[in-house]
Amino acid sequence: SSKTPASKAPASKAPASKAPPKPKESKDSDISVKLKPQTRQSQNVEMFSMASYNIFNDSDAWTATRHVSGLSIAFITPWNTLGKEHAITLAQKGKLDLIVPVMYESQPIPENPALQVGHITGGDTFNDDDIGSWKENGLQVMPRVYFLPNKWKIEQFRVLMVDSNAKNSFINELVDACHTRKFDGIVFEVLVALLSCDGVYQDLMDFIRFSSELVEAFHSAGLKIFLVVPPFGDALRNDVRQMLYQLQTYDLFILMAYDAPNPPYRG
């Protein structure tokens, strides 16, 4: 007799549950700076991360959590009236390590260097109470010293970098300001102004030697000094690249893209 094959009911498959997608890492909020290791006198070049908060909302899930393991830095501008308080709030929550008050501007060397009254202005932009409040909340404070592009000429830079009296006076004024105001060091923003000058490329070695003396003076005084680096992109000449390798005695390079007005160093 012929056997009728048993009909099989189709097996029902439970829909497979999908694991929730992993959140993508944000690249916009975490900027990393790393240089090829070179021979250093005392410190190694390390990678640091800097978080930025375009809109401050401490109740938001993003700003309520620290997202970087390295050094967290905030620039405090005098026109942001709430920036001082926000810095303290972030410091109390363990999300901010160091602030950079935007305050000092370096004044060009006059034609007669002996007439120079002072090398930096802007010390009254933030008062001692502001600085004391930041430090009481565990923040390191390192003001920016800014060289305004188009205000300095290469001849004035040459006096600053080569003339021993002008150079020592400038360095001593910066160190004294740090000790008087109890700063932890400075953020030195000079490269855009320097590299915008005509004929600058023959003076790169002078800037390396000047930087060496500047950094040594700060380290001898127990202070730190960071160097702001503009966004070179394809405009980075090989001689400037080699100069940057020679400048790694600075404690940190900060890539600054928002304030580079002159071609080819636009942000």
Side-chain angles (χ1 to χ4, degrees), residues 16 19 28 38 61 64 68 74 80 87 102 111 126 137 142 164 174 176-177 193 200 208 221 223 235 248 267:
D28 295 333
Q38 300 290 317
V68 294
N80 180 1
V102 176
E111 188 172 340
F126 294 95
N137 285 276
M142 296 175 60
S164 58
L174 293 181
D176 289 345
V200 64
I208 293 171
L223 301 167
Q248 291 189 51

Side-chain angles (χ1 to χ4, degrees), residues 15 18 54 68 84 88 91 95 98 108 116 118-120 139 149 161 164 187-188 198 212 228 235-236 248 253:
K18 295 183 178 179
N54 296 325
V68 294
K84 296 184 291 186
I88 292 174
K95 293 181 286 184
L98 186 153
Q116 183 94 29
H119 293 281
I120 55 175
L139 287 167
M161 294 186 296
S164 58
V187 171
F188 199 47
D198 293 332
S212 178
V228 171
L236 181 56
Q248 291 189 51
F253 282 3

Side-chain angles (χ1 to χ4, degrees), residues 182-195:
K182 296 181 173 55
F183 295 134
D184 297 279
I186 66 167
V187 171
F188 199 47
E189 189 161 356
V190 62
L191 282 180
V192 170
L194 176 64
L195 296 176

Side-chain angles (χ1 to χ4, degrees), residues 155-173:
E155 293 80 12
Q156 295 165 318
F157 272 118
R158 286 169 182 162
V159 173
L160 178 63
M161 294 186 296
V162 176
D163 182 273
S164 58
N165 290 330
K167 175 170 49 181
N168 292 335
S169 176
F170 175 79
I171 293 174
N172 290 337
E173 187 172 340

